[in-house]
Amino acid sequence: MRFPLDLKSPVKYDVVGFGTNAVDYLIEVPHYPEFDSKVELVGYVQAAGGEVATAMAGLTRLGLKTAYIGQFGSDPEGDFGLQSLRDEGVDVSFARQIEGAKSQIAFIIIDVTNGERTVIWKRDKKLHYSENDIDETAVESTRVFHFTPHDTDASIRLAASAKKHGAIVSIDIDNVFDGIERLLPLVDILIASTEFPEKFTGTADRRKSLTELNAKFGSSVVGVTIGQNGSLILCQDKFIETPGMPVPGGCKDTTGAGDSFRAGFLFGLLKGKSVEETARIANAVASLKCRAVGARTALPTYDELERALLV
């Protein structure tokens, strides 16, 4: 099945992202600790993360041109996070560091027996974007605009501008928030976390909840990631269920797997793949990411992705 979306002719960027970045402190433990207990850690690392920043890094590693709109703190974590995107080749000319703000951080506990993680995070209110803080220039020159809706009014303004200039609008969503009814009608590709469809619709049946979301907001593609079980996509009244791929060498860390899935999905879309093949690509990128600890550590190159798809 072909995507029912028209891709803009090549412009400055393939994808522009707006939303979260973070610095993660990843702590590996032999098992998830019980309440009021002590456990010796296996290892720990500091690594760059955040949903949208990770997706932009993943797309750039696959060979696409990306830019990131976001705010970092003026602390060492902010320096680290911003430089991590520069090192990947993401255009950060629309990003900035806010004096006196602390960068978003997360402490992530990883169970080494299965790679599953628990995230404890904090975002400084000084990193908030208001509608008037936004420079729309980047989204005027992109084929796809991808975002998380943490700063809703700013997201609405950017999404509306992106659509006005012919870009496809993609959202990474995991929660219900004020303003959702104004924002989601602007979205062409709605890929949600496992829990979101039920949170929004009150319907536990995934197919029914995706159908309801599609009917209410009219997105061309509505889907949900299902962890190691893969994904479920609804497009033109057809459901496409794609199994997850085994992680080469076993799963070390699931942090950023959903972000990586979205990077793979947008990559497939931009490369003119079918919806079915795009879902397979997205699951492959997510699987390969889980090879190592950290949201971006094992994001695949184009060659690595090609080899994985041949298996």
Side-chain angles (χ1 to χ4, degrees):
M1 176 192 295
R2 310 310 299 178
F3 281 98
L5 294 164
D6 294 323
L7 277 169
K8 194 173 179 178
S9 298
V11 286
K12 187 173 183 180
Y13 304 110
D14 293 306
V15 185
V16 169
F18 170 66
T20 48
N21 64 77
V23 174
D24 298 334
Y25 296 90
L26 301 117
I27 304 162
E28 296 178 279
V29 294
H31 57 82
Y32 192 81
E34 297 178 3
F35 179 73
D36 197 25
S37 67
K38 293 182 180 181
V39 60
E40 183 179 1
L41 60 84
V42 175
Y44 69 95
V45 297
Q46 179 191 46
E51 290 100 321
V52 175
T54 295
M56 294 307 102
L59 286 160
T60 305
R61 208 173 284 191
L62 289 170
L64 299 187
K65 295 179 181 178
T66 69
Y68 174 70
I69 306 170
Q71 298 191 145
F72 298 81
S74 58
D75 49 9
E77 287 82 3
D79 296 338
F80 176 80
L82 193 54
Q83 188 59 45
S84 72
L85 290 177
R86 290 194 187 102
D87 291 344
E88 292 285 356
V90 178
D91 184 338
V92 293
S93 58
F94 300 96
R96 59 188 181 182
Q97 290 183 274
I98 304 302
E99 189 62 36
K102 293 183 178 179
S103 296
Q104 181 171 325
I105 61 167
F107 293 92
I108 301 174
I109 302 170
I110 303 165
D111 187 331
V112 298
T113 62
N114 55 24
E116 294 295 334
R117 85 286 189 264
T118 300
V119 181
I120 306 164
W121 64 275
K122 177 69 175 177
R123 188 184 189 217
D124 191 331
K125 292 181 179 178
K126 294 177 183 176
L127 299 176
H128 171 76
Y129 269 98
S130 73
E131 181 183 3
N132 296 324
D133 291 331
I134 288 299
D135 178 355
E136 299 175 24
T137 308
V139 300
E140 295 172 1
S141 302
T142 186
R143 304 178 80 192
V144 175
F145 171 57
H146 177 66
F147 70 103
T148 53
H150 290 73
D151 298 318
T152 308
D153 289 339
S155 296
I156 290 171
R157 181 174 173 185
L158 283 171
S161 180
K163 286 190 78 72
K164 177 182 175 182
H165 289 89
I168 292 168
V169 176
S170 164
I171 193 171
D172 175 347
I173 188 167
D174 63 5
N175 221 332
V176 180
F177 52 87
D178 290 340
I180 192 170
E181 303 276 351
R182 293 184 294 127
L183 178 58
L184 292 188
L186 297 168
V187 172
D188 300 301
I189 298 176
L190 191 163
I191 304 293
S193 64
T194 305
E195 301 84 8
F196 175 79
E198 182 177 356
K199 284 181 184 178
F200 185 83
T201 65
T203 303
D205 185 292
R206 287 196 183 105
R207 295 187 177 226
K208 288 182 179 179
S209 61
L210 290 181
T211 300
E212 187 174 331
L213 281 168
N214 177 252
K216 185 174 182 64
F217 297 113
S219 299
S220 297
V221 178
V222 178
V224 62
T225 55
I226 321 172
Q228 65 181 1
N229 293 319
S231 60
L232 180 65
I233 303 294
L234 173 61
C235 182
Q236 294 185 312
D237 298 324
K238 178 182 178 182
F239 282 101
I240 298 163
E241 191 163 5
T242 309
M245 289 190 177
V247 180
C251 180
K252 303 298 189 298
D253 176 23
T254 59
T255 304
D259 317 331
S260 305
F261 177 94
R262 289 159 178 84
F265 199 87
L266 296 179
F267 177 79
L269 166 74
L270 285 161
K271 289 297 182 181
K273 304 297 185 182
S274 68
V275 180
E276 292 86 351
E277 183 62 14
T278 293
R280 185 166 177 261
I281 288 169
N283 280 288
V285 174
S287 167
L288 292 169
K289 181 248 84 71
C290 294
R291 294 174 293 174
V293 172
R296 305 183 204 163
T297 309
L299 284 169
T301 62
Y302 178 78
D303 288 344
E304 288 177 319
L305 175 60
E306 285 286 285
R307 288 195 294 271
L309 292 171
L310 291 173
V311 175

